[in-house]
Amino acid sequence: MKNIGLFYGSDTGTTEMISEQIINLIGQQNVIKHDIFDTKVSDFENYDCLILGLSTWYDGELQSDWDSFFEEFQTIDFKGKKVAIFGIGDQYSYADTFVDGVGIIGKVVKTNNGILIGEWSTEGYFHDSSVAEFETGTFCGLAIDEDNQSEMTDERLKRWSKQILKEFAE
Ligand SMILES: Cc1cc2nc3c(=O)[nH]c(=O)nc-3n(C[C@H](O)[C@H](O)[C@H](O)COP(=O)(O)O)c2cc1C
């Protein structure tokens, strides 16, 4: 198993909690966790496999620490790196901007030559639109909604963690 770097940002702790669950599912020995709050661009150089996690705020904006880091994030060369993204959002209160942050950083990864893995079906979600829906019916990463569908979170995390481990290994 290659080393995996998990980079997350969280305002009220939800994304941090979900990050811990993903780390437990993937195996603590395989993952190194970084809070994007004190991350440097050079930290990304250590990994060929990346997991990026964030929430969306204020009608489609990046979580605050991701927002502060975004200019630097756009300078990263993702060539040869596999990148899985998960996002936390609220599909009812923010139906037009559900997990937009996943799409915003996903576009940067794609533009900067990264390989996006961990795509996820939109089946079972009730949003109207999302920047993360690169193709109709598919989010470019996992969407978690702790505000409205917390009962589905465990199962989604289990399935997605298994999926990305397989895709990292391919
Ligand atoms: C003021 C406010 C704005 C929000 N805007 C969005 C949004 O545009 N899209 C979305 O999917 N979720 C939105 N949310 C939901 C948060 O992403 C959600 O509560 C998440 O669990 C917060 O995670 P964190 O504690 O890791 O930052 C918003 C929540 C609040 C309170």
Side-chain angles (χ1 to χ4, degrees), residues 52 54 62 66 70 73 85 101-109:
L52 311 180
L54 75 171
L62 295 172
W66 273 101
F70 191 59
F73 182 72
I85 306 175
V102 171
I104 295 169
I105 64 170
K107 277 184 184 164
V108 174
V109 170

Side-chain angles (χ1 to χ4, degrees), residues 1 4 21-27 51 84 117-120 142 154-170:
M1 168 59 63
I4 301 169
Q21 287 177 247
I22 291 171
I23 289 168
N24 286 333
L25 286 164
I26 281 180
I51 302 173
I117 64 157
E119 285 186 347
W120 194 251
L142 174 67
D154 278 357
E155 186 57 30
R156 284 173 172 164
L157 292 179
K158 268 188 212 152
R159 271 179 45 214
W160 190 71
S161 298
K162 212 168 148 191
Q163 177 186 331
I164 64 169
L165 273 179
K166 187 166 167 276
E167 290 176 342
F168 278 144
E170 282 168 1

Side-chain angles (χ1 to χ4, degrees), residues 16 20 47 50 53 57 62-63 66 77 83-84 86 96 123 128 130 136 139 163 169:
E16 184 171 19
E20 290 297 342
Y47 308 99
L50 293 163
W57 283 82
L62 295 172
Q63 183 271 338
W66 273 101
D77 181 7
V83 184
F86 68 95
D96 290 333
E123 221 179 294
D128 292 325
S130 172
T136 306
F139 292 122
Q163 177 186 331

Side-chain angles (χ1 to χ4, degrees), residues 10-15 55-60 89-90 94 97 99 147:
S10 186
D11 273 8
T12 63
T14 313
T15 310
S55 49
T56 299
W57 283 82
Y58 306 118
D59 301 326
D90 174 343
Y94 303 94
T97 56
V99 296
D147 294 300

